[in-house]
Amino acid sequence: LTPDGSQLLFSALLAGLGDASASSVQAQVDAAGNVYVAFTIGGAVAGSPPWLGDPNGTIGVLKVAPSGDKILWASKVSPFALNLALALDSDGSVFVGSSDYTSVHLYKLDGNGNQTGYSYTITDTHEPGHDTYDGSSLKLAALSDHSLYVMASPSFLYRLDAEGKSELTRVNVGDGNVQLSALAADGNGNAYVGGFTTAAYTVPSTQGDSAVTMSGMNPGLIAKFDLSGSQVYSDLFDLRVIEALTVLPSGLLWAGG
């Protein structure tokens, strides 16, 4: 679309999907206007480009030209899991994530779509008889130092080092009494997560001002964490859930729900 939304510049049918749910398709745009799309493979890909990466992978990652008329490369990654996540690094590489009920799997493609040596799996602890992750939401955010924030629902936030070898921070937000659905990061490396709280949520000492919430409704949540994983603040809102977060270069945070 044009900047004012008045005109459609292009529309492209890229590929057949193996799963048409919202969690199985992700997209990002780089500074040059190239579009990166991750999806579960379920049919033909436009132009039938030769596949790079894992020949048995069932997650497809496409780089599409700004004009929408050409797929620049196509790569296969990983086995399919419940949901997908996608983030662009400042060096032109692409982070791809997938998760199931027990683990989060992370991969990195270089600027040409080839899989790098970056491959990391996160498996957290869980209560007996319960799943670690609920398969509802997975989000990634790359930092300028090439480390990576990973948000996995219901309530986990991690940061991995640039090589994908170790976890720099690990947080169970709200002691598990939140349901996360949004992630953003600012230029200083702080992470912002959004979602909603459960009835068992305990308001932390860093709680800021909050809007008046409706009686009987669990409020929406935004929480900020620094690079060490320490919570800077949290705020509650009378929205049912915070679904999306974006940080502007000025540091202003936009939230929607």
Side-chain angles (χ1 to χ4, degrees):
L1 300 177
T2 54
D4 63 0
S6 64
Q7 183 179 353
L8 178 67
L9 296 177
F10 75 80
S11 176
L13 179 60
L14 299 176
L17 298 180
D19 180 358
S21 66
S23 62
S24 66
V25 182
Q26 298 293 321
Q28 296 284 343
V29 182
D30 67 17
N34 298 296
V35 183
Y36 300 77
V37 181
F39 63 100
T40 59
I41 300 170
V45 175
S48 301
W51 285 106
L52 305 172
D54 178 4
N56 299 313
T58 53
I59 295 172
V61 183
L62 307 179
K63 181 178 180 180
V64 183
S67 58
D69 61 349
K70 184 178 181 181
I71 294 178
L72 302 177
W73 52 253
S75 188
K76 289 183 178 180
V77 182
S78 164
F80 169 65
L82 291 176
N83 51 26
L84 302 181
L86 190 65
L88 305 182
D89 202 350
S90 58
D91 61 5
S93 55
V94 182
F95 289 102
V96 184
S98 65
S99 71
D100 50 34
Y101 292 115
T102 60
S103 303
V104 177
H105 310 281
L106 301 160
Y107 307 89
K108 191 174 186 178
L109 307 177
D110 65 20
N112 296 314
N114 296 302
Q115 195 158 323
T116 65
Y118 188 112
S119 178
Y120 193 85
T121 298
I122 302 173
T123 300
D124 218 308
T125 57
H126 58 87
E127 298 178 14
H130 292 265
D131 298 316
T132 303
Y133 311 107
D134 62 9
S136 177
S137 184
L138 178 68
K139 304 291 184 182
L140 307 179
L143 302 184
S144 58
D145 64 357
H146 310 300
S147 63
L148 180 71
Y149 276 119
V150 181
M151 185 220 79
S153 62
S155 57
F156 296 97
L157 177 67
Y158 310 93
R159 185 166 71 92
L160 302 185
D161 70 354
E163 302 299 322
K165 301 297 184 183
S166 62
E167 296 166 27
L168 301 176
T169 58
R170 176 188 287 234
V171 180
N172 192 353
V173 181
D175 291 326
N177 294 312
V178 302
Q179 177 74 36
L180 299 178
S181 55
L183 170 68
D186 64 23
N188 295 318
N190 299 299
Y192 304 79
V193 295
F196 66 87
T197 60
T198 70
Y201 177 74
T202 300
V203 176
S205 60
T206 52
Q207 176 68 42
D209 294 334
S210 60
V212 177
T213 58
M214 295 175 61
S215 177
M217 185 181 79
N218 296 329
L221 169 76
I222 295 176
K224 178 181 179 180
F225 294 86
D226 63 19
L227 281 168
S228 70
S230 298
Q231 184 166 295
V232 179
Y233 70 73
S234 63
D235 283 307
L236 299 177
F237 300 87
D238 57 356
L239 294 171
R240 186 176 183 87
V241 59
I242 303 297
E243 291 281 8
L245 295 171
T246 299
V247 184
L248 301 183
S250 64
L252 183 67
L253 180 69
W254 284 87

